Amino acid sequence: MYDIKTYHRADSLNKALKLLVDNPEACLVAGGTDVLIKLRHHNKRLQHLVDIHHLKELTYIKELEDGTVRIGSGTTFTQIMESDIIAQTIPSLAQALTTVAGPQIRNIATIGGNICNGAPSADATPPSIVLGAEVEITSLNSARKMLLEQFYLAPGKVDLKHNEIATAFLFRKENYQQVGGSYYKYAIREAMDIATIGCAAACRIENGVFRLFKLAYGVAAPTPIRTPTAEKAALNQPVNEDTLNKIQQAVLKDVSPRDSWRASKAFRLQIIHTLAKRVVIKAIANAGGSIEHD
């Protein structure tokens, strides 16, 4: 039995924002796949709900005139996976979402709910971060944007005030054009489990040299992170085995995984080290590049 005191179903974004202002203890529900689990544990923070599921204003995928891909926060994983726009512009995001749970969950879970839940294991986050995604945040009186990599404050906490809703995610053309991306989720039970480690890479290669290189992890630190030391080791360097080995060594300076019942710190470090090479090799191939050999 769920311990729900009040439930409001918003029929517009403006109505949802007003409901949040009028109900200072309310929690937003989008797909509900994370909230329902917490409700089973009688979490008192979830006794008052504002439901934004199926709001058409938040459910869309558009390619704007300047090439920016704009995804409404209420868009489901399945809609993203089946989108021709996503397939032609940022396919690594769709690839990442195929690793999430089963079809039933992917049909209802939303990109906004996945990211705003604040979990370091969110599969949508690492591929979005390496593609330079921005999150658009709306309140009744204002709107703001910020890089997704700055949105995470702590485990389960994002930079979102009670009167705000994350309404869209933006992927600029300059961050995905001629960029190869890849994502790999290591989990004990693969799709039917949350990530033990998630890793995403994005690169642009010109004349055999990394001209853009980004590498991000989930569950390798308290929040999803980029890896500045590893990225510095690759940028403007030749695409060869020596650079790949330097990326692998450098990435260990950027991460701070923890022990948990799911995996030990030592095991996570081994996975992080392994994925640094595996995921980058796939991104190189997707960028149309190849690895030079001596």
Side-chain angles (χ1 to χ4, degrees):
M1 194 70 179
Y2 297 138
D3 188 20
I4 299 174
K5 303 295 185 185
T6 61
Y7 170 84
H8 301 281
R9 185 178 174 88
D11 55 13
S12 69
L13 173 60
N14 197 54
K15 179 67 174 179
L17 291 166
K18 288 180 179 176
L19 284 167
L20 287 178
V21 172
D22 295 340
N23 298 271
E25 297 180 6
C27 175
L28 280 177
V29 180
T33 54
D34 289 316
V35 171
L36 283 175
I37 293 172
K38 295 176 182 175
L39 279 171
R40 292 178 60 187
H41 298 285
H42 300 284
N43 189 323
K44 293 185 177 180
R45 292 178 52 247
L46 302 175
Q47 291 181 327
H48 306 275
L49 302 178
V50 172
D51 188 352
I52 56 173
H53 188 54
H54 285 153
L55 275 188
K56 291 184 179 179
E57 292 166 88
L58 301 180
T59 307
Y60 59 82
I61 299 169
K62 301 176 182 176
E63 186 173 3
L64 307 182
E65 288 187 2
D66 66 357
T68 298
V69 176
R70 181 182 173 92
I71 304 175
S73 61
T75 307
T76 68
F77 287 0
T78 298
Q79 289 169 324
I80 294 171
M81 290 162 52
E82 295 180 348
S83 165
D84 290 338
I85 293 175
I86 299 299
Q88 294 167 10
T89 55
I90 49 175
S92 58
L93 177 60
Q95 177 210 347
L97 300 187
T98 63
T99 69
V100 178
Q104 296 94 336
I105 295 296
R106 295 195 290 265
N107 285 343
I108 194 168
T110 66
I111 186 171
N114 185 245
I115 289 175
C116 293
N117 189 41
S121 58
D123 290 295
T125 303
S128 298
I129 285 178
V130 297
L131 291 169
E134 299 166 54
V135 54
E136 179 185 85
I137 299 164
T138 304
S139 67
L140 279 176
N141 302 313
S142 65
R144 60 189 175 104
K145 296 174 186 171
M146 64 189 307
L147 285 173
L148 182 57
E149 63 188 75
Q150 298 171 349
F151 188 52
Y152 285 83
L153 301 178
K157 186 176 182 180
V158 295
D159 188 0
L160 197 63
K161 299 180 179 64
H162 177 75
N163 65 336
E164 295 178 322
I165 294 176
T167 44
F169 300 91
L170 295 94
F171 298 79
R172 307 286 181 188
K173 187 176 182 179
E174 59 268 26
N175 292 325
Y176 70 75
Q177 192 173 41
Q178 298 179 319
V179 170
S182 184
Y183 175 77
Y184 188 88
K185 166 185 179 176
Y186 180 88
I188 302 299
R189 294 181 297 163
E190 297 186 349
M192 299 306 290
D193 199 358
I194 68 171
T196 303
I197 293 290
C199 177
C203 63
R204 182 186 296 123
I205 299 169
E206 296 173 3
N207 300 319
V209 173
F210 285 114
R211 294 304 184 192
L212 177 148
F213 182 84
K214 296 180 183 177
L215 187 64
Y217 283 88
V219 211
T223 65
I225 56 165
R226 279 180 62 185
T227 56
T229 309
E231 292 179 7
K232 185 177 180 180
L235 193 62
N236 296 320
Q237 297 301 309
V239 181
N240 58 26
E241 286 286 349
D242 183 55
T243 301
L244 290 176
N245 291 335
K246 288 178 179 176
I247 293 169
Q248 275 193 304
Q249 295 306 315
V251 78
L252 297 177
K253 299 177 181 177
D254 294 318
V255 299
S256 55
R258 65 183 179 92
D259 290 309
S260 75
W261 66 268
R262 194 176 297 278
S264 68
K265 177 179 179 178
F267 183 66
R268 289 184 199 273
L269 285 170
Q270 182 179 347
I271 298 301
I272 289 166
H273 183 264
T274 300
L275 291 186
K277 196 167 189 177
R278 180 183 299 184
V279 175
V280 171
I281 288 174
K282 188 68 180 296
I284 291 169
N286 289 338
S290 59
I291 301 170
E292 297 177 2
H293 297 279
D294 294 335

